[in-house]
Amino acid sequence: MGIESDLFCSNLVRRFGSNAAVDHVSLDVPAGTFFSILGPSGCGKTTLLRLLAGFDRPDEGDIHIRGARMNDVPPNRRPVNMVFQHLALFPTMSVGDNIGYGLKRQKVPAAERRTRIARVLEQVGLPGMENRNPGELSGGQRQRVALARCLVLEPTLLLLDEPLGALDLKLREQMKIELKHLQKAFGTTFVYITHDQSEAMVMSDQVAVMKDGRFDQVAPPEELYREPATPFVAGFVGDNNRLTGELVAVQDGLAELRLDDGSMVRGRLGQSSPPIGERADLFIRPESLVLGGDALRPDYSALRASVTATLFDGANSRLEADSAGQTLYARLPQDGSAPRLREGAGVQLAWDPMLARVFAPGAV
C-alpha cells in the first residue's frame, strides 16, 4: 500500500452466481489523482464502483481508504461521495439547499453551512446562485451543482459514474475540461467510471482499462495510447488498423509478418508474442500511416492500396483504402502537403515499424 494512497484495493472479487463481475482487481490510487476506469458495457466497472462506495460487498479482497479497511463500513460512514449520471438533484430545493443537504444531515451549524455553500459555489463558478432553483439552470450548471454538493463535504474520494453521459456533445466537451480543472483546484481524488475513451484520455492522470472483470492495463493516457499492453487495449483505446498474418521472423524486438497476400510488414513485439510460424496481429494508428514516395526510409513497411473514400474531418482528411481486401484508415493533414486523392487512385501506405505493435491474436 502506497504511503500517500487515498485508495488501495487488493484482489477484489464480486461474483453473481458463477460469473465474476469483478475478478481479482487490485489498484493503488495516490492522493489527489484523477483515476479513470475505462471499459465497454458489462466489463464490471459499475460493480467495482459500487464496491468502493459500499453499496455492495466483495466476496474476496480488501478495500482501504487512507489506510483504513472499509469492507464492513456502511456507505454513509465512508469518506466517499458519489456523482451519478442523472445527478439526482432535489427539484423542489434551492441550489443552496441541495448543496447543503449533506451538511445539514451532519448537523453542521447553519452559519457554517452558509459559509461553506458560498465558498464551494465560488469554486465551481456559480457564485451567488444559492437561491436559484435547479430547473432554472443549464445542464452544465446543474452538473456543477451536483459536484458542489459532493465536494462541500470534503470527501477523501469522489466517485463519478458516467456523469457526462446525459449531456449533449458540445457541453460534454466543455465539462471534460471543467471537471479536470475542478479536480486540480480541490485536490480531491476522483475515481471516474466511463466507456468513453475521450473522457478518460483528456481528464485522467491514470487510466485502468477493464475487460471481463479484470484490468488489462493501468497507465497514464499517453502510455496507453502509445504503448498498449494487450491487443484489447490497442483496439479499444483510439483508432487502430489491424493486420493479421504469419510471424516469420523476430530480430532486435521487431517482428516480421507475412500477410495473406504475401506482403511483408514489421512492427515492435508486444507483451504477448506468438511463436514463429503462428498467426499474429499488427496494430498501426491511422496517424502513423504516411503516403509512400521516393523519400521513404528503407526500413519502413509499406502496402499497396486503392483509395475507397476520402472524408473531411476538420484538421485532417480521413483516407480509406483497400489493400488486398483489408481496409486501412489514414489521417492526412489539411495543410496542403497531402495530394488530393480520388476514389480508385492507387497509393502506397507506409509506416515506421517502431510505431506499430505486434501481438498474439486476441479479442479486441
Side-chain angles (χ1 to χ4, degrees), residues 39-336:
S41 297
C43 71
K45 56 188 185 294
T46 297
T47 300
L48 176 56
L49 202 71
R50 288 177 56 82
L51 295 177
L52 301 181
F55 300 144
D56 200 357
R57 294 185 60 181
D59 296 305
E60 298 176 29
D62 291 307
I63 300 169
H64 291 84
I65 298 176
R66 290 263 173 98
R69 188 174 183 270
M70 291 286 130
N71 289 43
D72 301 316
V73 178
N76 63 327
R77 295 183 58 194
R78 296 189 183 196
V80 168
N81 221 319
M82 191 162 181
V83 179
F84 298 93
Q85 182 175 8
H86 297 292
L87 306 184
L89 297 177
F90 300 114
T92 58
M93 289 185 181
S94 68
V95 166
D97 287 343
N98 263 281
I99 293 172
Y101 181 77
L103 295 175
K104 189 174 183 178
R105 295 199 59 172
Q106 291 179 356
K107 298 183 171 24
V108 174
E112 183 182 345
R113 287 205 307 271
R114 287 193 295 271
T115 299
R116 289 173 65 174
I117 290 167
R119 183 169 65 239
V120 77
L121 279 171
E122 182 79 33
Q123 289 173 300
V124 300
L126 299 174
M129 290 197 177
E130 293 91 331
N131 298 320
R132 300 281 291 274
N133 184 279
E136 301 171 4
L137 305 180
S138 69
Q141 288 172 327
R142 289 195 296 273
Q143 189 81 50
R144 282 182 274 170
V145 171
L147 287 165
R149 184 175 60 180
C150 295
L151 292 167
V152 76
L153 298 172
E154 300 175 352
T156 299
L157 296 180
L158 184 61
L159 309 179
L160 302 101
D161 188 7
E162 305 212 40
L164 306 186
L167 303 179
D168 62 53
L169 178 60
K170 186 174 182 179
L171 184 53
R172 197 160 61 241
E173 291 298 312
Q174 176 186 338
M175 285 304 301
K176 285 190 291 191
I177 305 301
E178 290 195 17
L179 267 178
K180 181 64 175 176
H181 288 329
L182 286 171
Q183 188 268 332
K184 290 299 182 186
F186 280 87
T188 304
T189 299
F190 280 21
V191 178
Y192 189 96
I193 296 293
T194 185
H195 67 275
D196 186 321
Q197 57 179 283
S198 174
E199 291 179 9
M201 300 295 275
V202 167
M203 296 187 291
S204 309
D205 300 308
Q206 292 278 320
V207 180
V209 180
M210 197 169 189
K211 172 178 174 281
D212 297 334
R214 293 175 174 265
F215 286 167
D216 254 33
Q217 186 175 1
V218 182
E222 185 174 345
E223 183 177 334
L224 283 180
Y225 192 83
R226 301 188 183 282
E227 304 289 341
T230 69
F232 176 76
V233 175
F236 189 74
V237 177
D239 295 328
N240 240 323
N241 293 291
R242 182 186 187 187
L243 301 169
T244 300
E246 177 189 347
L247 182 65
V248 297
V250 175
Q251 185 175 4
D252 298 327
L254 285 177
E256 188 168 17
L257 275 66
R258 181 187 294 111
L259 304 184
D260 293 341
D261 68 346
S263 300
M264 305 297 289
V265 296
R266 296 195 305 159
R268 281 194 300 149
L269 273 179
Q271 293 183 9
S272 59
S273 57
I276 300 294
E278 297 292 325
R279 302 291 283 179
D281 290 334
L282 180 146
F283 292 86
I284 180 68
R285 300 280 183 196
E287 64 270 22
S288 297
L289 291 175
V290 297
L291 291 175
D294 295 338
L296 279 185
R297 285 184 0 211
D299 61 328
Y300 270 35
S301 288
L303 292 174
R304 292 286 179 185
S306 175
V307 174
T308 55
T310 54
L311 306 172
F312 177 72
D313 186 20
N316 300 287
S317 285
R318 178 182 170 93
L319 173 73
E320 297 183 4
D322 177 85
S323 177
Q326 167 74 55
T327 299
L328 295 174
Y329 303 96
R331 290 199 188 101
L332 305 179
Q334 290 281 11
D335 58 5

